[in-house]
Amino acid sequence: MSGPRIQAIHVIGGGLAGSEAAWQIAHAGVPVILHEMRPETATAAHKTDGLAELVCSNSFRADDHEQNAVGLLHEEMRRLGSLVMRAADGNQVPAGGALAVDRDGFSAAVTAALTAHPLVTIERGEIGLPPDDWDNVIVATGPLTSPTLADAIRALTGQDALAFFDAIAPIVHRDSIDMSVAWFQSRYDKAGSGGTGADYINCPMTREQYEGFVAALLAGDKTSFHDWEGSTPYFDGCLPVEVMAERGPETLRHGPMKPVGLTNRHRPDAKPYAVVQLRQDNKLGTLFNMVGFQTKLKHGEQVRIFRTIPGLENAEFARLGGLHRNTFLNSPTLLDPTLRLRAMPRLRFAGQITGCEGYVESSAVGLLAGRVAAAEWQGRVPDLPPATTALGALVNHITGGHIDTIDAGPRSFQPMNINFGLFPPLAQAPTHGPDGKKLRGPEKAVARKRALCRRALADLDAWIAGRALAPAAE
Ligand SMILES: Cc1cc2nc3c(=O)[nH]c(=O)nc-3n(C[C@H](O)[C@H](O)[C@H](O)COP(=O)(O)OP(=O)(O)OC[C@H]3O[C@@H](n4cnc5c(N)ncnc54)[C@H](O)[C@@H]3O)c2cc1C
């Protein structure tokens, strides 16, 4: 183990993740240089030179740590002394159960705290590949990483490892799929290298259902691309499902919805006219993605239309589909468990570029990256919160919880918000309420979420208590 050195940790990108990482590093007593390219070099979405600028909505989403996954993440970050959460709480505006903020006040609070910290130096200017003598670097340059740095990262990771668009197919909670209608089977029962021959969930459609579904896709309300997204190439192999439908009524039936090689286990006599397939998305087997269903349909339309698919009538979506400009790594392959690039371990990644999604998640990954980078600098063994916490579940999903496609096809790792599907299941899910009555339907789901939240916070507290480094107290 090496002792403390004079050289600072370098954090590239003064957005949500980079600001949080720099704060955690400085709080641990380690000097840090935070590099932000604005205002010298602009991005297509930022408008100011402030640190931690919110580029779109001013909401950090639900602030309920008793039964909501993102609310739980808020609370865990607070318990670890998050600067982002402190600035958000201090600049809250009324928004019902959500934590919404005055965006200028929020960014000003983050900027002021970092500027005032004696161990933080803020340098303005774009960084390309970090110089060789920067031996502990966090890259937190976000979905709009500058092209120079993106090219340098691509040269290190390989052509296909850095995506510039997320083409997201909806992801469904496994336990919300009606398996009395759907069934497990791989096409032609093929096991492939990592499969069993029954790896996909199949939802059958009759001709009438298929034709109604295609008509609904065509009529559904879609979102449009931003001007600056239009020129980014993305279409190869990931056409939106509604664009495929526009190409002709039979296109989907010969593409992602082809019924060949599949036999309805519930009705072997009735050959399906079309089949929607869902593929396991995480190692826990709690989430399944709709194969080939990347889409620009508006979120409400996706829920309405996709719940007409037999077996998905009560589907709960861990995330809905989309197509956006985004720069992110194929992290499960490229990053080690403490977020270091395997090909160049002096570089660690944080924020949306790692394949998390959202302001809170990006800040959370920044918090973890800052803590492990500081531990490494101090010669301590870097460790991360347990997988049962929201922080642990998120980072585990990014660095290893996701499974790649079972068969050949486009890579499947796509950015994801925190959700309960990323948590290891409870050893014993609640079955009865405090009054002794048997729980049913929605009550049971709420009780499960509450139990997951309680377990997470208890495990986080135990983890914090076991660490020499106290939370970054205000
Ligand atoms: C248009 C758009 C809208 C979004 N809207 C929302 C939303 O409403 N709600 C939500 O939860 N999430 C939203 N997101 C997703 C995401 O949560 C945010 O982008 C979030 O800001 C990501 O945090 P980050 O720290 O990873 O990146 P950012 O906050 O973008 O920070 C990255 C920083 O790195 C700097 N930078 C880039 N390249 C370099 C370089 N080479 N050298 C130095 N500095 C560099 C940038 O200027 C920027 O300040 C949106 C994303 C986009 C692109």
Side-chain angles (χ1 to χ4, degrees):
M1 284 193 192
S2 56
R5 285 142 306 140
I6 300 303
Q7 199 188 124
I9 295 177
H10 292 265
V11 177
I12 308 175
L16 287 153
S19 298
E20 183 64 56
W23 177 255
Q24 295 285 333
I25 293 166
H27 176 76
V30 176
V32 54
I33 302 175
L34 178 59
H35 302 266
E36 170 51 55
M37 70 179 185
R38 290 175 290 119
E40 283 177 19
T41 308
T43 79
H46 292 82
K47 303 264 185 299
T48 74
D49 63 1
L51 301 178
E53 178 183 333
L54 303 179
V55 286
C56 186
S57 131
N58 65 333
S59 173
F60 282 53
R61 320 203 307 275
D63 195 26
D64 170 1
H65 67 265
E66 291 182 346
Q67 57 181 45
N68 180 283
V70 77
L72 175 64
L73 195 52
H74 291 168
E75 180 58 20
E76 292 185 7
M77 292 172 70
R78 288 185 182 112
R79 292 187 189 191
L80 289 169
S82 159
L83 173 61
V84 164
M85 289 312 300
R86 192 180 83 180
D89 289 336
N91 288 279
Q92 190 169 2
V93 296
L99 173 58
V101 304
D102 171 320
R103 66 179 71 241
D104 295 330
F106 166 77
S107 168
V110 172
T111 307
L114 287 167
T115 306
H117 201 294
L119 287 173
V120 180
T121 306
I122 299 168
E123 289 187 358
R124 301 283 176 167
E126 181 183 354
I127 307 293
L129 183 66
D132 289 344
D133 60 344
W134 293 8
D135 62 359
N136 190 334
V137 181
I138 295 177
V139 181
T141 43
L144 307 171
T145 294
S146 72
T148 319
L149 180 57
D151 286 347
I153 296 169
R154 205 147 44 140
L156 283 174
T157 58
Q159 192 70 12
D160 299 330
L162 188 69
F164 293 98
F165 249 95
D166 44 18
I168 300 163
I171 295 175
V172 179
H173 288 274
R174 153 81 180 80
D175 58 10
S176 68
I177 302 173
D178 183 353
M179 295 306 290
S180 68
V181 175
W183 73 97
F184 273 104
Q185 186 186 9
S186 303
R187 211 179 285 287
Y188 298 113
D189 302 306
K190 264 195 204 152
S193 54
T196 63
D199 300 313
Y200 291 78
I201 293 179
N202 300 281
C203 299
M205 278 188 187
T206 61
R207 179 178 193 147
E208 199 184 9
Q209 286 166 332
Y210 173 78
E211 287 172 356
F213 182 72
V214 170
L217 286 179
L218 294 176
D221 216 359
K222 330 258 177 341
T223 49
S224 48
F225 281 112
H226 296 284
D227 291 347
W228 46 276
E229 290 180 318
S231 58
T232 310
Y234 75 100
F235 268 144
D236 278 6
C238 62
L239 275 181
V241 66
E242 62 277 5
V243 173
M244 278 187 265
E246 274 165 20
R247 295 191 169 179
E250 289 292 292
T251 307
L252 283 169
R253 229 169 69 76
H254 291 97
M257 294 177 71
K258 62 176 177 274
V260 299
L262 297 167
T263 306
N264 187 339
R265 294 277 190 262
H266 308 291
R267 292 199 51 201
D269 54 313
K271 183 145 183 55
Y273 189 73
V275 172
V276 173
Q277 288 201 302
L278 295 99
R279 182 168 48 215
Q280 188 172 332
D281 198 79
N282 63 342
K283 280 191 180 143
L284 295 171
T286 50
L287 300 175
F288 276 72
N289 65 65
M290 295 174 64
V291 179
F293 270 68
Q294 51 278 353
T295 177
K296 289 288 281 177
L297 282 170
K298 289 192 169 158
H299 282 180
E301 291 287 80
Q302 291 185 41
V303 174
R304 182 179 67 79
I305 297 171
F306 297 155
R307 281 191 182 155
T308 65
I309 297 170
L312 300 188
E313 292 86 350
N314 298 308
E316 292 296 332
F317 294 91
R319 80 159 296 162
L320 287 158
L323 284 157
H324 305 278
R325 168 85 163 82
N326 192 2
T327 313
F328 67 99
L329 294 166
N330 191 11
S331 296
T333 308
L334 296 175
L335 302 185
D336 75 8
T338 70
L339 298 159
R340 292 181 310 178
L341 188 67
R342 291 182 194 278
M344 190 177 272
R346 71 189 175 95
L347 303 188
R348 179 172 265 118
F349 284 79
Q352 183 126 340
I353 197 170
T354 62
C356 63
E357 168 85 22
Y359 297 152
V360 185
E361 289 82 347
S362 298
S363 310
V365 179
L367 180 150
L368 295 175
R371 288 177 73 98
V372 288
E376 192 174 282
W377 191 96
Q378 291 169 323
R380 292 184 289 117
V381 178
D383 68 343
L384 292 159
T388 47
T389 63
L391 285 161
L394 184 64
V395 74
N396 279 354
H397 176 73
I398 290 166
T399 59
H402 176 84
I403 55 164
D404 258 327
T405 49
I406 295 155
D407 44 12
R411 60 173 253 206
S412 59
F413 178 67
Q414 293 292 344
M416 169 99 70
N417 287 125
I418 187 71
N419 65 79
F420 286 117
L422 302 182
F423 291 64
L426 294 161
Q428 177 82 58
T431 50
H432 292 79
D435 53 1
K437 276 201 188 139
K438 198 165 163 36
L439 295 168
R440 297 184 191 284
E443 274 182 343
K444 202 169 167 183
V446 168
R448 182 180 145 265
K449 288 175 185 174
R450 295 180 86 90
L452 285 167
C453 287
R454 276 197 304 275
R455 180 182 72 174
L457 291 176
D459 288 358
L460 184 75
D461 286 346
W463 182 81
I464 291 172
R467 300 284 138 334
L469 179 65
E474 288 91 67

